[in-house]
Coordinates of all heavy atoms in Angstrom, one line a residue:
M1 N 0.8 -1.2 0.0 CA 0.0 0.0 0.0 C 0.9 1.3 0.0 O 0.4 2.3 -0.4 CB -0.9 0.0 1.2 CG -2.1 -0.9 1.1 SD -3.4 -0.6 2.3 CE -2.7 -1.5 3.7
G2 N 2.1 1.2 0.5 CA 2.9 2.3 0.5 C 2.5 3.3 1.6 O 1.8 3.0 2.6
W3 N 3.0 4.5 1.4 CA 2.7 5.6 2.4 C 1.2 6.0 2.4 O 0.7 6.4 1.3 CB 3.6 6.8 2.2 CG 5.1 6.5 2.5 CD1 6.0 6.2 1.5 CD2 5.7 6.3 3.8 NE1 7.2 6.0 2.2 CE2 7.0 6.0 3.5 CE3 5.2 6.4 5.1 CZ2 7.9 5.8 4.6 CZ3 6.1 6.1 6.1 CH2 7.4 5.8 5.8
L4 N 0.6 6.1 3.5 CA -0.8 6.5 3.6 C -0.9 7.6 4.6 O -0.3 7.5 5.7 CB -1.7 5.3 4.1 CG -1.7 4.1 3.1 CD1 -2.4 2.9 3.8 CD2 -2.4 4.5 1.8
R5 N -1.7 8.7 4.3 CA -1.8 9.8 5.2 C -2.6 9.3 6.4 O -3.7 8.7 6.3 CB -2.5 11.0 4.5 CG -2.5 12.2 5.4 CD -3.3 13.4 4.8 NE -3.2 14.5 5.6 CZ -4.0 14.7 6.7 NH1 -4.8 13.8 7.0 NH2 -3.8 15.8 7.4
A6 N -2.1 9.6 7.6 CA -2.8 9.1 8.8 C -3.4 10.3 9.7 O -4.4 10.1 10.4 CB -1.8 8.4 9.7
A7 N -2.8 11.4 9.6 CA -3.2 12.5 10.5 C -2.5 13.8 10.2 O -1.6 13.8 9.3 CB -3.0 12.2 12.0
S8 N -2.9 14.9 10.8 CA -2.1 16.1 10.8 C -1.2 16.2 12.0 O -1.6 15.7 13.1 CB -3.1 17.3 10.9 OG -3.9 17.4 9.7
F9 N -0.1 16.7 11.8 CA 0.9 16.8 13.0 C 0.2 17.6 14.1 O 0.4 17.3 15.3 CB 2.2 17.5 12.5 CG 3.2 17.6 13.6 CD1 3.9 16.4 13.9 CD2 3.4 18.7 14.3 CE1 4.9 16.4 14.9 CE2 4.4 18.7 15.3 CZ 5.1 17.6 15.6
D10 N -0.6 18.6 13.8 CA -1.3 19.4 14.8 C -2.3 18.6 15.7 O -2.7 19.0 16.7 CB -2.0 20.6 14.2 CG -1.1 21.6 13.7 OD1 0.1 21.6 14.1 OD2 -1.5 22.5 12.9
D11 N -2.7 17.4 15.2 CA -3.6 16.5 15.9 C -2.9 15.9 17.2 O -3.5 15.4 18.1 CB -4.1 15.4 15.1 CG -5.0 15.9 13.9 OD1 -5.5 17.0 14.0 OD2 -5.1 15.1 13.0
L12 N -1.5 15.9 17.1 CA -0.8 15.2 18.2 C -0.3 16.2 19.2 O 0.0 17.3 18.9 CB 0.4 14.6 17.5 CG 0.1 13.5 16.4 CD1 1.3 13.2 15.6 CD2 -0.5 12.3 17.1
K13 N -0.3 15.7 20.5 CA 0.2 16.5 21.6 C 1.5 15.7 22.1 O 1.5 14.5 22.2 CB -0.8 16.6 22.7 CG -2.0 17.4 22.3 CD -2.8 17.8 23.6 CE -4.0 18.7 23.3 NZ -5.1 17.9 22.9
E14 N 2.5 16.5 22.5 CA 3.7 15.9 23.1 C 3.3 15.0 24.3 O 2.6 15.4 25.2 CB 4.6 17.0 23.5 CG 5.9 16.5 24.2 CD 6.7 15.6 23.3 OE1 6.8 15.9 22.1 OE2 7.3 14.6 23.8
G15 N 3.8 13.8 24.2 CA 3.6 12.8 25.2 C 2.2 12.1 25.2 O 1.8 11.4 26.1
G16 N 1.5 12.4 24.1 CA 0.2 11.9 23.9 C 0.0 10.8 22.9 O 1.0 10.5 22.2
V17 N -1.2 10.3 22.8 CA -1.5 9.2 21.8 C -2.9 9.5 21.2 O -3.8 10.0 22.0 CB -1.5 7.8 22.4 CG1 -2.4 7.7 23.6 CG2 -1.8 6.7 21.4
I18 N -3.1 9.2 19.9 CA -4.4 9.3 19.3 C -4.6 8.0 18.5 O -3.6 7.4 18.0 CB -4.6 10.6 18.4 CG1 -3.6 10.5 17.2 CG2 -4.5 11.8 19.2 CD1 -4.0 11.6 16.2
G19 N -5.9 7.7 18.3 CA -6.2 6.5 17.5 C -6.8 7.0 16.2 O -7.6 8.0 16.1
V20 N -6.3 6.4 15.1 CA -6.8 6.8 13.7 C -7.0 5.5 12.9 O -6.5 4.5 13.2 CB -5.8 7.7 13.0 CG1 -5.6 9.0 13.7 CG2 -4.4 7.0 12.9
D21 N -7.9 5.7 11.9 CA -8.1 4.6 11.0 C -7.4 4.8 9.7 O -7.6 5.9 9.1 CB -9.6 4.4 10.8 CG -10.0 3.3 9.8 OD1 -9.6 3.4 8.6 OD2 -10.5 2.3 10.3
V22 N -6.5 3.9 9.4 CA -5.7 4.1 8.1 C -6.1 3.0 7.2 O -5.6 1.8 7.5 CB -4.2 4.2 8.4 CG1 -3.4 4.4 7.1 CG2 -3.9 5.3 9.4
A23 N -6.9 3.2 6.2 CA -7.3 2.2 5.2 C -7.8 0.9 5.9 O -7.5 -0.2 5.5 CB -6.1 1.8 4.3
G24 N -8.6 1.1 7.0 CA -9.2 0.0 7.7 C -8.4 -0.6 8.8 O -8.8 -1.5 9.5
T25 N -7.2 -0.1 9.0 CA -6.3 -0.6 10.1 C -6.3 0.4 11.2 O -6.2 1.6 11.0 CB -4.9 -0.8 9.6 OG1 -4.9 -1.7 8.5 CG2 -3.9 -1.2 10.7
A26 N -6.5 -0.1 12.4 CA -6.5 0.8 13.6 C -5.1 1.0 14.0 O -4.3 0.1 14.3 CB -7.2 0.1 14.8
V27 N -4.7 2.3 14.0 CA -3.4 2.7 14.2 C -3.3 3.7 15.4 O -4.2 4.6 15.5 CB -2.8 3.4 12.9 CG1 -1.4 4.0 13.2 CG2 -2.7 2.4 11.8
A28 N -2.3 3.6 16.2 CA -2.1 4.6 17.3 C -0.9 5.4 16.9 O 0.1 4.9 16.5 CB -1.9 3.8 18.6
L29 N -1.0 6.7 17.0 CA 0.1 7.6 16.8 C 0.5 8.3 18.0 O -0.4 8.7 18.8 CB -0.4 8.7 15.8 CG -0.8 8.2 14.4 CD1 -1.3 9.4 13.6 CD2 0.4 7.7 13.6
Y30 N 1.8 8.4 18.2 CA 2.3 9.0 19.5 C 3.3 10.1 19.1 O 3.9 10.1 18.0 CB 3.1 8.0 20.2 CG 2.4 6.6 20.4 CD1 2.5 5.7 19.4 CD2 1.8 6.3 21.6 CE1 1.9 4.4 19.5 CE2 1.1 5.1 21.7 CZ 1.2 4.1 20.7 OH 0.6 2.9 20.8
L31 N 3.4 11.1 20.0 CA 4.5 12.1 19.8 C 5.4 12.1 21.1 O 4.9 12.4 22.2 CB 3.8 13.5 19.7 CG 4.7 14.7 19.3 CD1 5.5 14.4 18.0 CD2 4.0 16.0 19.3
L32 N 6.6 11.7 20.8 CA 7.6 11.6 21.9 C 8.8 12.4 21.6 O 9.5 12.1 20.6 CB 8.0 10.1 22.1 CG 7.0 9.1 22.5 CD1 7.6 7.7 22.6 CD2 6.3 9.4 23.8
D33 N 9.1 13.4 22.4 CA 10.2 14.3 22.1 C 10.2 14.8 20.7 O 11.3 14.9 20.1 CB 11.5 13.5 22.4 CG 11.6 13.1 23.9 OD1 11.1 13.8 24.8 OD2 12.2 12.0 24.1
G34 N 9.0 15.2 20.2 CA 8.9 15.8 18.9 C 8.9 14.8 17.8 O 8.8 15.3 16.6
V35 N 9.1 13.5 18.0 CA 9.1 12.5 17.0 C 7.8 11.7 17.0 O 7.3 11.3 18.1 CB 10.3 11.6 17.2 CG1 10.3 10.5 16.1 CG2 11.6 12.4 17.2
V36 N 7.2 11.5 15.8 CA 6.0 10.7 15.7 C 6.3 9.2 15.6 O 7.1 8.9 14.8 CB 5.1 11.2 14.5 CG1 3.8 10.4 14.5 CG2 4.9 12.7 14.6
Y37 N 5.6 8.4 16.3 CA 5.7 6.9 16.2 C 4.3 6.4 16.0 O 3.3 7.0 16.4 CB 6.3 6.3 17.5 CG 7.7 6.8 17.8 CD1 7.9 7.9 18.6 CD2 8.8 6.1 17.3 CE1 9.2 8.4 18.8 CE2 10.1 6.5 17.6 CZ 10.3 7.7 18.3 OH 11.5 8.1 18.6
A38 N 4.3 5.2 15.3 CA 3.0 4.6 15.1 C 3.1 3.1 15.4 O 4.1 2.4 15.2 CB 2.7 4.7 13.6
T39 N 2.0 2.6 16.0 CA 1.8 1.2 16.3 C 0.4 0.8 15.9 O -0.4 1.6 15.7 CB 2.0 0.8 17.8 OG1 0.9 1.3 18.6 CG2 3.3 1.4 18.4
H40 N 0.2 -0.5 15.9 CA -1.2 -1.0 15.8 C -1.9 -0.5 17.1 O -1.3 -0.3 18.1 CB -1.3 -2.5 15.7 CG -2.5 -3.0 15.1 ND1 -3.7 -3.2 15.9 CD2 -2.9 -3.3 13.9 CE1 -4.7 -3.6 15.1 NE2 -4.2 -3.7 13.9
N41 N -3.2 -0.3 17.0 CA -3.9 0.3 18.1 C -4.7 -0.7 19.0 O -5.3 -0.3 20.0 CB -4.9 1.4 17.6 CG -5.4 2.3 18.7 OD1 -4.8 2.4 19.8 ND2 -6.5 3.0 18.5
I42 N -4.6 -2.0 18.6 CA -5.3 -3.0 19.4 C -4.3 -3.8 20.2 O -3.3 -4.3 19.7 CB -6.1 -4.0 18.5 CG1 -6.9 -3.2 17.5 CG2 -6.9 -4.9 19.4 CD1 -8.1 -2.5 18.0
C43 N -4.5 -3.9 21.5 CA -3.6 -4.7 22.4 C -3.5 -6.1 21.9 O -4.4 -6.7 21.3 CB -4.2 -4.7 23.8 SG -3.1 -5.4 25.0
T44 N -2.3 -6.7 22.1 CA -2.1 -8.1 21.6 C -2.6 -9.1 22.7 O -2.6 -10.3 22.4 CB -0.6 -8.4 21.4 OG1 0.1 -8.2 22.6 CG2 -0.1 -7.5 20.3
H45 N -3.1 -8.6 23.8 CA -3.6 -9.5 24.9 C -5.1 -9.8 24.6 O -5.5 -11.0 24.3 CB -3.4 -8.9 26.2 CG -3.9 -9.7 27.4 ND1 -4.7 -9.2 28.4 CD2 -3.8 -11.0 27.7 CE1 -5.0 -10.2 29.2 NE2 -4.4 -11.3 28.8
Q46 N -5.9 -8.8 24.8 CA -7.3 -9.0 24.4 C -7.7 -7.7 23.6 O -6.9 -7.0 23.2 CB -8.2 -9.2 25.7 CG -8.0 -10.5 26.3 CD -8.8 -10.7 27.6 OE1 -9.6 -9.9 28.0 NE2 -8.5 -11.8 28.3
F47 N -9.1 -7.5 23.5 CA -9.5 -6.4 22.6 C -9.6 -5.1 23.5 O -10.5 -4.9 24.3 CB -10.8 -6.7 22.0 CG -11.1 -5.6 20.9 CD1 -10.7 -5.8 19.6 CD2 -11.8 -4.5 21.3 CE1 -11.0 -4.8 18.7 CE2 -12.1 -3.5 20.3 CZ -11.6 -3.7 19.0
A48 N -8.6 -4.2 23.2 CA -8.7 -2.9 23.8 C -7.9 -1.9 23.0 O -6.9 -2.3 22.3 CB -8.0 -2.9 25.2
F49 N -8.4 -0.7 22.9 CA -7.7 0.3 22.1 C -6.6 1.0 22.9 O -6.9 1.6 24.0 CB -8.7 1.4 21.6 CG -9.6 0.9 20.5 CD1 -11.0 0.7 20.8 CD2 -9.1 0.8 19.2 CE1 -11.8 0.2 19.8 CE2 -10.0 0.3 18.2 CZ -11.3 0.1 18.5
L50 N -5.4 0.8 22.5 CA -4.3 1.4 23.3 C -4.4 2.9 23.3 O -3.8 3.5 24.3 CB -3.0 0.9 22.7 CG -2.8 -0.6 22.8 CD1 -1.5 -1.0 22.0 CD2 -2.7 -1.0 24.2
S51 N -5.0 3.5 22.3 CA -5.1 5.0 22.3 C -6.0 5.5 23.5 O -6.0 6.7 23.8 CB -5.7 5.5 21.0 OG -6.9 4.9 20.7
E52 N -6.7 4.6 24.2 CA -7.4 5.0 25.4 C -6.6 4.7 26.6 O -7.1 4.9 27.7 CB -8.8 4.2 25.4 CG -9.7 4.6 24.2 CD -10.9 3.7 24.1 OE1 -11.1 2.8 25.0 OE2 -11.6 3.9 23.1
G53 N -5.4 4.3 26.5 CA -4.5 4.1 27.6 C -3.6 5.3 27.9 O -3.9 6.4 27.5
Y54 N -2.5 5.0 28.6 CA -1.6 6.1 29.0 C -0.2 5.9 28.5 O 0.3 4.8 28.4 CB -1.6 6.1 30.6 CG -2.9 6.3 31.2 CD1 -3.7 5.2 31.6 CD2 -3.4 7.6 31.3 CE1 -4.9 5.4 32.1 CE2 -4.7 7.7 31.9 CZ -5.5 6.6 32.2 OH -6.7 6.8 32.8
V55 N 0.4 7.0 28.2 CA 1.8 7.0 27.7 C 2.7 7.4 28.9 O 2.4 8.5 29.6 CB 2.0 8.1 26.6 CG1 3.5 8.1 26.2 CG2 1.1 7.7 25.4
E56 N 3.7 6.6 29.2 CA 4.6 6.9 30.3 C 6.0 6.3 30.0 O 6.1 5.1 29.6 CB 4.0 6.3 31.6 CG 4.7 6.9 32.8 CD 3.9 6.3 34.1 OE1 2.8 6.8 34.3 OE2 4.5 5.5 34.7
D57 N 7.0 7.1 30.1 CA 8.4 6.7 29.9 C 8.6 5.9 28.6 O 9.2 4.9 28.6 CB 8.8 5.8 31.1 CG 8.8 6.5 32.4 OD1 9.0 7.8 32.4 OD2 8.7 5.9 33.4
G58 N 8.0 6.4 27.5 CA 8.2 5.8 26.2 C 7.4 4.5 26.0 O 7.6 3.8 25.0
C59 N 6.5 4.2 26.9 CA 5.6 3.0 26.8 C 4.1 3.4 26.8 O 3.8 4.5 27.3 CB 5.8 2.1 28.0 SG 7.5 1.3 28.0
I60 N 3.3 2.6 26.2 CA 1.9 2.7 26.2 C 1.3 1.7 27.1 O 1.7 0.5 27.0 CB 1.3 2.6 24.8 CG1 -0.3 2.8 24.8 CG2 1.6 1.3 24.1 CD1 -0.7 4.2 25.2
E61 N 0.5 2.1 28.0 CA -0.1 1.2 29.0 C -1.6 0.9 28.5 O -2.4 1.9 28.3 CB -0.1 1.8 30.4 CG -0.8 0.8 31.4 CD -0.8 1.4 32.8 OE1 0.3 1.4 33.5 OE2 -1.9 1.9 33.2
C62 N -1.9 -0.3 28.4 CA -3.2 -0.7 27.9 C -4.3 -0.4 29.0 O -4.0 -0.6 30.2 CB -3.3 -2.2 27.7 SG -4.9 -2.8 27.2
P63 N -5.4 0.2 28.6 CA -6.4 0.6 29.6 C -7.1 -0.6 30.2 O -7.8 -0.4 31.3 CB -7.4 1.4 28.7 CG -7.3 0.9 27.4 CD -5.8 0.5 27.2
L64 N -7.0 -1.8 29.6 CA -7.8 -2.9 30.1 C -7.2 -3.7 31.3 O -7.8 -3.9 32.4 CB -8.2 -3.9 29.0 CG -9.4 -4.8 29.2 CD1 -10.6 -4.0 29.7 CD2 -9.7 -5.6 28.0
H65 N -5.9 -4.1 31.1 CA -5.2 -4.9 32.1 C -3.9 -4.3 32.4 O -3.0 -5.0 33.0 CB -5.1 -6.4 31.7 CG -6.4 -7.0 31.3 ND1 -6.6 -7.4 30.1 CD2 -7.5 -7.3 32.1 CE1 -7.9 -7.9 30.0 NE2 -8.4 -7.9 31.2
Q66 N -3.6 -3.1 32.0 CA -2.4 -2.4 32.3 C -1.1 -3.0 31.8 O 0.0 -2.8 32.3 CB -2.2 -2.1 33.8 CG -3.2 -1.1 34.3 CD -4.7 -1.6 34.3 OE1 -4.9 -2.7 34.9 NE2 -5.6 -0.9 33.7
G67 N -1.2 -3.9 30.8 CA 0.0 -4.4 30.1 C 0.7 -3.2 29.4 O 0.0 -2.2 29.1
Q68 N 2.0 -3.3 29.2 CA 2.7 -2.2 28.6 C 3.6 -2.6 27.4 O 4.1 -3.7 27.4 CB 3.6 -1.5 29.6 CG 2.9 -0.8 30.7 CD 3.8 0.0 31.6 OE1 5.0 0.1 31.4 NE2 3.2 0.6 32.7
F69 N 3.6 -1.7 26.4 CA 4.5 -2.0 25.2 C 5.4 -0.8 25.1 O 5.0 0.4 25.3 CB 3.6 -2.1 24.0 CG 2.6 -3.2 24.0 CD1 1.3 -2.9 24.4 CD2 2.9 -4.4 23.6 CE1 0.4 -3.9 24.4 CE2 2.0 -5.5 23.6 CZ 0.7 -5.2 24.0
D70 N 6.7 -1.1 24.6 CA 7.6 0.0 24.2 C 7.0 0.6 22.9 O 6.8 -0.1 21.9 CB 9.0 -0.6 24.0 CG 10.0 0.5 23.7 OD1 9.8 1.2 22.7 OD2 11.0 0.6 24.5
I71 N 6.8 1.9 22.9 CA 6.2 2.5 21.7 C 7.2 2.5 20.5 O 6.7 2.3 19.4 CB 5.8 4.0 22.1 CG1 4.7 4.0 23.0 CG2 5.5 4.8 20.8 CD1 4.4 5.3 23.7
R72 N 8.5 2.6 20.8 CA 9.4 2.6 19.6 C 9.6 1.3 19.0 O 9.9 1.2 17.8 CB 10.7 3.2 20.1 CG 10.6 4.7 20.5 CD 11.9 5.1 21.2 NE 11.9 6.6 21.5 CZ 11.5 7.1 22.6 NH1 11.0 6.3 23.5 NH2 11.5 8.4 22.8
T73 N 9.6 0.2 19.8 CA 9.9 -1.2 19.3 C 8.7 -2.1 19.3 O 8.7 -3.1 18.6 CB 11.0 -1.8 20.2 OG1 10.4 -2.1 21.5 CG2 12.2 -0.9 20.3
G74 N 7.6 -1.8 20.0 CA 6.5 -2.7 20.1 C 6.7 -3.8 21.1 O 5.8 -4.7 21.3
K75 N 7.8 -3.9 21.7 CA 8.1 -5.0 22.6 C 7.2 -5.0 23.9 O 7.1 -3.9 24.5 CB 9.6 -4.9 23.0 CG 10.1 -6.1 23.8 CD 11.6 -6.1 23.8 CE 12.1 -7.3 24.6 NZ 12.7 -7.0 25.9
A76 N 6.7 -6.1 24.2 CA 5.9 -6.3 25.4 C 6.8 -6.1 26.6 O 7.9 -6.6 26.7 CB 5.2 -7.6 25.4
Q77 N 6.3 -5.3 27.6 CA 7.2 -4.9 28.7 C 6.8 -5.7 30.0 O 7.7 -5.8 30.9 CB 7.1 -3.4 29.0 CG 7.5 -2.6 27.8 CD 9.0 -2.7 27.6 OE1 9.8 -2.4 28.5 NE2 9.4 -3.2 26.5
C78 N 5.6 -6.1 30.2 CA 5.2 -6.7 31.5 C 3.9 -7.5 31.3 O 3.1 -7.2 30.3 CB 5.0 -5.6 32.6 SG 3.7 -4.5 32.3
A79 N 3.6 -8.4 32.2 CA 2.4 -9.2 32.2 C 1.2 -8.3 32.3 O 1.3 -7.2 32.9 CB 2.4 -10.2 33.3
P80 N 0.1 -8.7 31.6 CA -0.2 -9.9 31.0 C 0.2 -9.9 29.5 O -0.1 -10.9 28.8 CB -1.7 -10.1 31.2 CG -2.2 -8.7 31.1 CD -1.1 -7.8 31.7
V81 N 0.8 -8.9 29.0 CA 1.1 -8.9 27.5 C 2.4 -9.6 27.2 O 3.4 -9.4 28.0 CB 1.1 -7.5 26.9 CG1 -0.3 -6.9 27.0 CG2 2.1 -6.6 27.6
T82 N 2.4 -10.4 26.2 CA 3.6 -11.1 25.8 C 3.9 -10.9 24.3 O 5.0 -11.0 23.9 CB 3.5 -12.7 26.1 OG1 2.3 -13.1 25.5 CG2 3.4 -12.9 27.6
G83 N 2.8 -10.8 23.5 CA 3.0 -10.6 22.1 C 3.4 -9.2 21.7 O 3.0 -8.2 22.3
R84 N 4.4 -9.2 20.8 CA 4.9 -7.9 20.3 C 3.8 -7.1 19.6 O 3.0 -7.7 18.9 CB 6.1 -8.1 19.4 CG 6.8 -6.9 19.0 CD 7.9 -7.2 18.0 NE 8.3 -6.0 17.3 CZ 7.7 -5.5 16.2 NH1 6.7 -6.2 15.7 NH2 8.1 -4.4 15.7
L85 N 3.8 -5.8 19.7 CA 2.9 -5.0 19.1 C 3.5 -4.5 17.7 O 4.7 -4.2 17.7 CB 2.6 -3.7 20.0 CG 1.5 -2.8 19.6 CD1 0.1 -3.4 19.6 CD2 1.6 -1.5 20.5
A86 N 2.7 -4.6 16.7 CA 3.2 -4.1 15.4 C 3.5 -2.6 15.4 O 2.8 -1.8 16.0 CB 2.2 -4.4 14.3
T87 N 4.7 -2.3 14.9 CA 5.1 -0.9 14.7 C 5.2 -0.5 13.2 O 5.4 -1.4 12.4 CB 6.4 -0.6 15.4 OG1 7.4 -1.5 14.9 CG2 6.3 -0.8 16.9
Y88 N 5.0 0.7 12.9 CA 5.0 1.1 11.5 C 5.9 2.3 11.3 O 6.1 3.1 12.2 CB 3.6 1.5 11.1 CG 2.5 0.5 11.4 CD1 1.5 0.7 12.3 CD2 2.5 -0.7 10.7 CE1 0.5 -0.2 12.6 CE2 1.6 -1.7 11.0 CZ 0.6 -1.4 11.9 OH -0.4 -2.4 12.2
Q89 N 6.5 2.4 10.1 CA 7.3 3.5 9.8 C 6.4 4.8 9.6 O 5.3 4.7 9.2 CB 8.1 3.3 8.5 CG 9.2 2.3 8.7 CD 10.1 2.3 7.4 OE1 9.7 1.9 6.4 NE2 11.3 2.8 7.6
V90 N 7.0 5.9 10.0 CA 6.3 7.2 9.9 C 7.1 8.2 9.2 O 8.3 8.2 9.3 CB 6.0 7.7 11.4 CG1 5.3 9.0 11.3 CG2 5.2 6.7 12.2
K91 N 6.5 9.0 8.4 CA 7.2 10.2 7.9 C 6.3 11.4 7.9 O 5.0 11.2 7.9 CB 7.7 9.9 6.4 CG 6.6 9.9 5.4 CD 7.3 9.8 4.0 CE 6.2 9.8 2.9 NZ 6.8 9.7 1.5
R92 N 6.9 12.5 8.0 CA 6.2 13.8 8.1 C 6.5 14.6 6.9 O 7.7 14.8 6.6 CB 6.5 14.5 9.4 CG 5.8 15.9 9.5 CD 6.3 16.6 10.8 NE 5.7 17.9 10.8 CZ 6.0 18.8 11.8 NH1 6.8 18.5 12.8 NH2 5.4 20.0 11.7
E93 N 5.5 15.2 6.2 CA 5.7 16.1 5.1 C 4.8 17.3 5.5 O 3.6 17.3 5.3 CB 5.3 15.5 3.8 CG 6.2 14.4 3.3 CD 5.8 13.8 1.9 OE1 4.8 14.3 1.4 OE2 6.5 12.9 1.5
G94 N 5.5 18.4 5.9 CA 4.8 19.6 6.4 C 3.9 19.2 7.5 O 4.4 18.7 8.6
D95 N 2.6 19.4 7.4 CA 1.7 19.1 8.5 C 1.1 17.7 8.4 O 0.4 17.3 9.3 CB 0.5 20.2 8.5 CG -0.3 20.0 9.8 OD1 0.2 19.9 10.9 OD2 -1.6 20.0 9.6
D96 N 1.5 17.0 7.4 CA 0.9 15.7 7.1 C 1.8 14.6 7.7 O 3.0 14.5 7.4 CB 0.6 15.4 5.6 CG -0.4 16.4 5.1 OD1 -1.4 16.6 5.8 OD2 -0.2 16.9 4.0
I97 N 1.1 13.6 8.4 CA 1.8 12.4 8.9 C 1.4 11.2 8.1 O 0.2 11.0 7.9 CB 1.4 12.2 10.4 CG1 1.7 13.4 11.2 CG2 2.1 10.9 10.9 CD1 3.2 13.7 11.3
F98 N 2.4 10.5 7.6 CA 2.1 9.3 6.8 C 2.7 8.1 7.5 O 3.7 8.2 8.2 CB 2.8 9.4 5.4 CG 2.3 10.5 4.5 CD1 2.7 11.8 4.6 CD2 1.3 10.3 3.6 CE1 2.3 12.9 3.8 CE2 0.8 11.3 2.8 CZ 1.3 12.6 2.9
V99 N 2.0 7.0 7.3 CA 2.5 5.7 7.9 C 2.6 4.7 6.7 O 1.8 4.8 5.7 CB 1.6 5.2 9.0 CG1 1.6 6.1 10.2 CG2 0.2 4.9 8.5
D100 N 3.5 3.7 6.9 CA 3.6 2.6 6.0 C 3.2 1.4 6.7 O 3.9 1.0 7.7 CB 5.1 2.5 5.5 CG 5.3 1.4 4.5 OD1 4.3 0.6 4.3 OD2 6.4 1.4 3.9
L101 N 2.1 0.8 6.4 CA 1.5 -0.3 7.1 C 2.2 -1.7 6.8 O 1.8 -2.7 7.3 CB 0.0 -0.4 6.9 CG -0.8 0.8 7.3 CD1 -2.3 0.6 7.1 CD2 -0.5 1.1 8.8
E102 N 3.1 -1.7 5.9 CA 3.8 -3.0 5.5 C 4.9 -3.4 6.4 O 5.4 -2.6 7.1 CB 4.2 -2.9 4.0 CG 3.0 -2.8 3.1 CD 3.3 -2.5 1.7 OE1 4.4 -2.8 1.2 OE2 2.4 -2.0 1.0
Ligands
FES201 FE1 -4.4 -5.1 27.0 FE2 -5.3 -7.1 28.5 S1 -6.3 -6.2 26.8 S2 -3.5 -5.9 28.7

């Protein structure tokens, strides 16, 4: 699919997360130290939107059972999550944020 527009940079707040739909895929976008990161937005444990969780120390905490993933790598950090979270490449062109879902 290549690069797909996901959001405007202005939609993001430093240290925050938003959920967006990109061509039918639930994607979470984060802004950490001025850099945008993207992961899948559904927890790998059960069904919960990570964008409804909390960002802390570079990790996203799931709102359902408080499992955590490293936002930059998708690596599961603590129980009950064990499965890695998909991460996506991100690029910014002006105010537009693009993600590559492949
Ligand atoms: Fe995310 Fe259980 S659904 S930790």
Side-chain angles (χ1 to χ4, degrees):
M1 281 193 280
W3 292 105
L4 297 169
R5 189 183 181 282
S8 296
F9 186 76
D10 288 347
D11 295 338
L12 300 166
K13 292 196 181 84
E14 178 59 40
V17 56
I18 62 169
V20 294
D21 182 290
V22 181
T25 298
V27 173
L29 296 174
Y30 313 82
L31 185 61
L32 298 179
D33 298 325
V35 179
V36 182
Y37 297 90
T39 70
H40 200 277
N41 196 17
I42 310 291
C43 187
T44 60
H45 179 229
Q46 290 177 9
F47 189 90
F49 287 107
L50 296 172
S51 57
E52 294 172 3
Y54 300 95
V55 176
E56 196 172 286
D57 296 333
C59 292
I60 180 70
E61 182 181 281
C62 178
L64 200 52
H65 307 111
Q66 290 71 54
Q68 294 186 3
F69 301 93
D70 185 302
I71 289 167
R72 294 173 176 86
T73 66
K75 190 166 178 247
Q77 298 293 298
C78 63
V81 295
T82 55
R84 188 183 163 277
L85 188 65
T87 57
Y88 307 115
Q89 285 193 293
V90 176
K91 72 174 179 180
R92 178 181 174 185
E93 289 182 2
D95 189 43
D96 294 320
I97 302 299
F98 294 86
V99 296
D100 184 349
L101 298 181
E102 291 171 26

